[in-house]
C-alpha cells in the first residue's frame, strides 16, 4: 500500500510542519527507525527518526524542520541490533519489510499541497 499525506488549502508560509505518522495497514504504529522523503524533482531530502507512537517531524539536511510543498517518494528504515537481547526485551515493535528501505521498491509517495496540508501519513502493508 502506498502513502498519502495531503490535500488542501491556501498557504501563508511555504513550509509544511513536516509532521506525520507511519503505521501499518492494521493501524499499529511503526515504533522505531527513520523516515526519509526525497522530492521527485530533485533537491534536498527530509528525514526524521520515528517515535514509539509512529510520529515523526521531518528536517532538511541542515536540521531545519518542515517540508516545502511538492511531491515526494519516501522510505522507512528499521535497523535494530538485538542479537544480544532475549526476544521479550525487544522494544522496536514489528519489523518493517525491507522493500520500504529502498526508493526503488518502497512504492511510498507523498504529496504536500501547502503549509496547511494535514499531517503526512505513511501506511505500510502488514506482513
Amino acid at each position: 500500500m502506498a502513502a498519502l499525506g495531503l490535500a488542501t488549502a491556501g498557504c501563508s508560509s511555504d513550509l509544511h510542519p513536516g509532521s506525520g505518522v507511519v503505521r501499518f495497514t492494521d493501524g499499529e504504529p511503526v515504533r522505531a527507525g527513520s523516515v526519509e522523503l526525497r522530492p521527485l524533482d530533485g533537491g534536498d531530502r527530509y528525514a526524521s527518526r520515528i517515535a514509539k507512537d509512529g510520529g515523526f517531524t521531518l528536517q532538511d539536511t541542515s536540521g531545519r524542520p518542515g517540508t516545502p510543498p511538492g511531491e515526494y517518494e519516501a522510505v522507512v528504515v528499521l535497523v535494530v541490533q538485538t542479537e544480544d537481547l532475549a526476544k521479550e526485551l525487544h522494544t522496536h515493535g514489528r519489523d518493517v519489510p525491507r522493500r520500504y528501505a529502498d526508493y526503488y521498491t518502497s512504492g511510498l509517495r507523498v504529496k504536500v499541497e501547502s503549509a496547511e496540508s494535514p499531517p503526512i501519513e505513511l501506511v505500510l502493508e502488514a506482513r
Side-chain angles (χ1 to χ4, degrees), residues 12-72:
S12 55
S13 164
D14 340 9
L15 292 181
H16 180 274
S19 58
V21 65
V22 59
R23 64 178 178 79
F24 293 99
T25 54
D26 63 4
E28 181 181 341
V30 173
R31 300 182 194 285
S34 62
V35 171
E36 183 178 279
L37 271 62
R38 169 172 86 174
L40 294 180
D41 62 0
D44 211 357
R45 294 177 188 214
Y46 302 87
S48 175
R49 291 215 179 261
I50 300 169
K52 288 191 185 286
D53 66 356
F56 62 85
T57 301
L58 298 164
Q59 297 180 346
D60 67 15
T61 55
S62 298
R64 291 180 298 253
T67 55
E71 293 187 47
Y72 300 87

Side-chain angles (χ1 to χ4, degrees), residues 84 100 107:
D84 295 333
Y100 293 110

Side-chain angles (χ1 to χ4, degrees), residues 3-123:
L4 303 176
L6 332 284
T8 295
C11 91
S12 55
S13 164
D14 340 9
L15 292 181
H16 180 274
S19 58
V21 65
V22 59
R23 64 178 178 79
F24 293 99
T25 54
D26 63 4
E28 181 181 341
V30 173
R31 300 182 194 285
S34 62
V35 171
E36 183 178 279
L37 271 62
R38 169 172 86 174
L40 294 180
D41 62 0
D44 211 357
R45 294 177 188 214
Y46 302 87
S48 175
R49 291 215 179 261
I50 300 169
K52 288 191 185 286
D53 66 356
F56 62 85
T57 301
L58 298 164
Q59 297 180 346
D60 67 15
T61 55
S62 298
R64 291 180 298 253
T67 55
E71 293 187 47
Y72 300 87
E73 52 190 347
V75 292
V76 177
V77 179
L78 175 62
V79 177
V80 180
Q81 294 190 7
T82 58
E83 66 272 357
D84 295 333
L85 293 177
K87 187 172 182 172
E88 61 273 6
L89 297 176
H90 295 189
T91 60
H92 65 278
R94 187 187 304 175
D95 288 340
V96 171
R98 281 183 189 241
R99 75 181 194 111
Y100 293 110
D102 187 310
Y103 284 110
Y104 296 106
T105 59
S106 78
L108 300 172
R109 301 269 192 238
V110 173
K111 184 175 182 185
V112 175
E113 298 284 344
S114 72
E116 288 83 23
S117 292
I120 296 165
E121 183 178 20
L122 297 171
V123 181

